[in-house]
Amino acid sequence: MNFTRWSARLPGTQRRAAARTEQTIPATPRADGSVPAARAERRSDRSGPLPADGSGSGIDELPAREVLDRIPALVALVHGADHRLAHVNDAYVAAFGPRPIGEPARVALPELAELGLLPLLDQVLRSAKPRTVKSRKAPGGRSYTFTCTPVTLPLDGSAAGPEAGGGVLVFAADVTDHAEAAERLRASERAQRETAVTLQKSLLPQELEQPDDLRIAATYQPGGTEAAVGGDWYDVITLGGGRTALVIGDVMGRGVRAAAVMGQLRTAVRAYARLDLPPHEVLQLLDGLASEIDASQIATCVYAVHDPNEGSLVYSSAGHLPILVRDENGVIHRAEEPTGPPLGTGGWLHTSGSVPLGPGSTAVLYTDGLVERRSEDIDEGVASLERALAGATGTPQVVCDRLIRALGVTADHDDDVAVLVLQHPARTGPDADLFRNAALELLGGVEAAPRARAFATGVLASWRFSPELHDLGVLAASELVANSLQHGTPPMRLRLRRTDRRLIIEVTDGDDHLPRRRRAEPADEAGRGIAIVATIASNWGCRRTPGGGKAVWCEFALPR
C-alpha cells in the first residue's frame, strides 16, 4: 500500500509537509558524503560549541542578582533566623525606597512588619514550604500579593558560611488594579443590597395594626451581607366587625426583583382582604395575579382570619409552612392541612381550614428562613420551633425575639426571616368587663323586631354607654334586624359585642345576597335602612359566611 498517497489525504498533513519544506536548509554534501540535518545546521550558527551535557542555554552562568533586579515585581531576599536583609531589587527600592542591607527585617523592611508578614517568614523558614498572602494594601496605597519561598543561600553558587543559614525570597506582585476592581464590585453589590433592603423594609408595614382582641408583633431580619435580600413579607389587616386578617408570605428569588414582586402581592392582599372573602378565595385571586406579575416568579403564602366570636383561626395556605398554635394549656397544635401549591403555579383550587385560637392561645406564622437549614430536614426545623414555642412566654415581641434566638438566627444568617406572633389574651377582672358578648336568636316573623329592639336596649343599658351612644346602637340594631327580616331567610341572629375601643352590632341570616347602600327616592317606602346605618355608624360592612348566608355589621367608636 502506498502510505504516501494515503497520508496526503489526511487533514493537516499537507500543511505540515509544507512547513517542513520551508524550515529545511539546503544540504551541502560533506567530505564523508553525509548530509547534515537542518536543525544541526542552525545550532552550528550559535557562538561556541554546545556542552556535552546539553546545557547550552547559558542560564546557569547568569548572575542571580542581575535576574532579580530585572524582574518588574518587588523582590526582597532575607536570611537567617532574624531575617536579615540580603538583597532588594530595583522595583522594591522604587516602591519603598532604599533599604539597609544586613539589618533584620523588622528594621529593614517595616512595611512587611506593618502588613503582619514577619510571622509568615518564620513559618516559611521553619517548614521549608512556600506561602502566599493575597491582596494586602501596603503603605503608599498599592496592593500586593506576597509569595514567600524558602531558598538556599548564597545564590551565586559559592560556599555558604555556617552563619548564612536558610533564606526566604519575598516576591510581591502588584495587584492594585485587580484589588480596586474587586472593591468597586463589592461596593456595587453593597449598594444594590442596600437598595433592596430599603425597598423591602419600605414595602413592609411601618406600624402593625393592633386589633381589639389580639396582641400582635412581627420581626423581619434580612440575610447577612453575603446573602441577597429575599421577598419575605407579613401584614395585619383589620376587617371590621372585630375580625382580623393576618398574612405572611415569601417570594422565591433574591434581590430588588423579588422585593418588588413582594410589594405588589402585599398591596393586592390588602385590596382583596377589603372584599372580606374567605381565605381560600383570597389565595385564588392572588394565584392568578402572581402569574400576571411575573410568570417566572412563585411565592408561598398563608392568609388567615381571626374571628373572636368563633374562637378560631380560619386559614388557607399556598405551599407555605404550617401555622403553629400553643393553646392555654401549653399544648402545641400544627395546622398542616389544607395546603395547596405556591402562588403563580395556577390550575389549583385552594381550600380553607381552621385551627382553634381561644383565649390564652399564641399563634406563630413564619417564613422558611427561620426553620430551614442546609444540614437538616425542614421538618426537624419545624419541630425545633415547636419546642421553642412551648417554652416562649411573654409579650408577642418577646416571643418573637426568643424564637429567633432559639432557632439560631444571627446577623450573618444566610436567608431572610419573617416572624408574626399573635396572642388572644385571656382577660379577667376589670379587663374582662371591657369585653362583652350578647346574642339573640331571631325566631318567628315580624314580631322578632320588637324583641330585638328590647334586647338591644337592655344590653346596651347594662354596658353603661352614654345615652347618645345607647340610642344610636338601638337604632342601628333595629334597622339591621328589619333589613334581615325583610330580605333574609332563617336562621337569623343578632349579636352585640363591645371591646375597649368599639361597639359592634352584627346580624346574620341564611340568605347570601349582600345588601348595598343606595339612594332611596322620595316616594320609596323602603331602602333607607343601610343608608341610615352607614350615616350614624363609624363603619359598616357585609360578608358571606361559611356554609351559606351573610353577616351585616356596623361599628361605633367608643370615646377615649
Side-chain angles (χ1 to χ4, degrees):
M1 181 178 292
N2 190 340
F3 288 99
T4 303
R5 179 170 61 86
W6 283 101
S7 64
R9 298 181 181 180
L10 297 178
T13 54
Q14 296 177 353
R15 291 192 298 271
R16 288 193 293 269
R20 285 194 298 268
T21 303
E22 292 174 0
Q23 294 177 359
T24 304
I25 299 176
T28 302
R30 291 187 176 182
D32 56 2
S34 63
V35 180
R39 185 174 301 175
E41 291 291 340
R42 284 175 175 260
R43 286 183 177 177
S44 65
D45 292 341
R46 296 175 180 172
S47 59
L50 289 175
D53 58 0
S55 59
S57 62
I59 294 178
D60 294 342
E61 287 77 18
L62 288 178
R65 291 175 181 257
E66 181 180 348
V67 173
L68 297 179
D69 285 338
R70 293 180 179 273
I71 296 176
L74 280 59
V75 176
L77 185 63
V78 298
H79 67 93
D82 52 357
H83 310 298
R84 293 186 176 274
L85 183 61
H87 178 71
V88 291
N89 69 346
D90 295 340
Y92 200 106
V93 173
F96 298 115
R99 290 294 180 260
I101 303 301
E103 293 293 334
R106 65 178 179 274
V107 176
L109 304 173
E111 57 278 355
L112 298 188
E114 185 174 340
L115 293 173
L117 296 182
L118 296 186
L120 186 66
L121 297 179
D122 294 333
Q123 182 182 2
V124 171
L125 191 62
R126 187 168 52 250
S127 65
K129 294 181 179 180
R131 295 289 186 271
T132 298
V133 176
K134 296 183 178 180
S135 191
R136 292 288 182 90
K137 181 171 287 189
R142 307 294 293 179
S143 296
Y144 299 92
T145 292
F146 291 87
T147 300
C148 301
T149 305
V151 296
T152 301
L153 294 178
L155 294 178
D156 56 5
S158 61
E163 72 283 353
V168 177
L169 182 70
V170 181
F171 184 91
D174 191 331
V175 293
T176 304
D177 293 341
H178 295 81
E180 292 177 351
E183 181 57 33
R184 288 193 297 269
L185 179 59
R186 287 192 293 268
S188 175
E189 292 175 348
R190 286 194 298 268
Q192 292 182 7
R193 185 178 187 278
E194 290 172 1
T195 300
V197 170
T198 302
L199 176 62
Q200 173 87 341
K201 290 185 176 181
S202 65
L203 294 175
L204 291 174
Q206 304 303 303
E207 184 176 353
L208 285 179
E209 297 182 24
Q210 294 294 332
D212 299 358
D213 295 276
L214 297 176
R215 296 172 183 167
I216 301 177
T219 296
Y220 169 74
Q221 181 171 315
T225 56
E226 299 299 325
V229 176
D232 295 15
W233 94 91
Y234 55 83
D235 209 349
V236 178
I237 309 163
T238 54
L239 301 177
R243 301 165 71 250
T244 305
L246 306 114
V247 59
I248 194 165
D250 184 5
V251 177
M252 301 296 103
R254 299 295 179 90
V256 176
R257 180 59 184 166
V261 172
M262 175 274 290
Q264 296 177 76
L265 290 178
R266 176 176 174 256
T267 302
V269 169
R270 295 192 69 87
Y272 295 146
R274 299 304 178 190
L275 301 176
D276 217 341
L277 299 172
H280 65 275
E281 293 188 22
V282 172
L283 290 191
Q284 206 70 46
L285 294 172
L286 278 178
D287 186 28
L289 180 65
S291 301
E292 295 176 5
I293 293 175
D294 190 340
S296 63
Q297 291 274 14
I298 62 173
T300 63
C301 179
V302 166
Y303 181 85
V305 175
H306 174 255
D307 189 339
N309 297 311
E310 303 297 335
S312 63
L313 199 63
V314 180
Y315 68 93
S316 185
S317 174
H320 204 78
L321 294 166
I323 300 172
L324 300 182
V325 178
R326 185 186 66 208
D327 63 20
E328 64 276 12
N329 299 317
V331 179
I332 303 297
H333 302 273
R334 182 187 295 193
E336 294 184 347
E337 297 291 343
T339 184
L343 303 176
T345 56
W348 183 269
L349 293 178
H350 294 272
T351 56
S352 295
S354 66
V355 60
L357 190 72
S361 300
T362 299
V364 179
L365 291 77
Y366 52 96
T367 57
D368 58 358
L370 181 65
V371 297
E372 189 174 26
R373 301 293 181 271
R374 296 179 181 178
S375 58
E376 62 183 26
D377 188 80
I378 194 168
D379 288 335
E380 297 179 10
V382 176
S384 299
L385 180 59
E386 289 181 351
R387 292 190 293 270
L389 178 60
T393 58
T395 65
Q397 188 59 59
V398 171
V399 173
C400 276
D401 297 339
R402 289 182 175 177
L403 293 180
I404 286 179
R405 287 198 302 270
L407 272 293
V409 177
T410 59
D412 57 352
H413 195 59
D414 61 357
D415 196 4
D416 291 18
V417 175
V419 182
L420 183 65
V421 174
L422 57 140
Q423 294 178 344
H424 187 187
R427 296 180 173 90
T428 57
D431 191 31
D433 294 335
L434 299 178
F435 292 81
R436 297 289 188 88
N437 280 287
L440 173 67
E441 299 292 336
L442 301 176
L443 304 176
V446 294
E447 65 274 11
R451 289 201 306 270
R453 189 178 301 109
F455 175 78
T457 300
V459 170
L460 297 182
S462 68
W463 289 349
R464 300 179 182 178
F465 287 133
S466 65
E468 180 183 1
L469 181 57
H470 175 277
D471 294 342
L472 291 176
V474 172
L475 176 58
S478 178
E479 292 294 338
L480 292 180
V481 169
N483 185 77
S484 181
L485 290 173
Q486 183 176 359
H487 301 288
T489 59
M492 302 179 184
R493 172 184 289 186
L494 168 65
R495 176 180 288 147
L496 305 177
R497 176 172 175 78
R498 69 157 295 172
T499 70
D500 58 343
R501 305 179 201 173
R502 68 200 78 214
L503 166 65
I504 303 169
I505 302 173
E506 183 179 79
V507 175
T508 60
D509 64 58
D511 184 79
D512 59 0
H513 178 72
L514 299 180
R516 59 185 178 88
R517 184 181 180 181
R518 62 184 180 88
R519 183 187 297 275
E521 298 298 332
D524 292 344
E525 296 181 0
R528 294 181 176 87
I530 296 299
I532 292 173
V533 171
T535 301
I536 64 176
S538 304
N539 193 14
W540 81 281
C542 56
R543 70 179 187 278
R544 291 186 173 88
T545 55
K550 65 177 179 295
V552 185
W553 55 268
C554 66
E555 296 178 347
F556 294 88
L558 301 184
R560 294 288 183 178

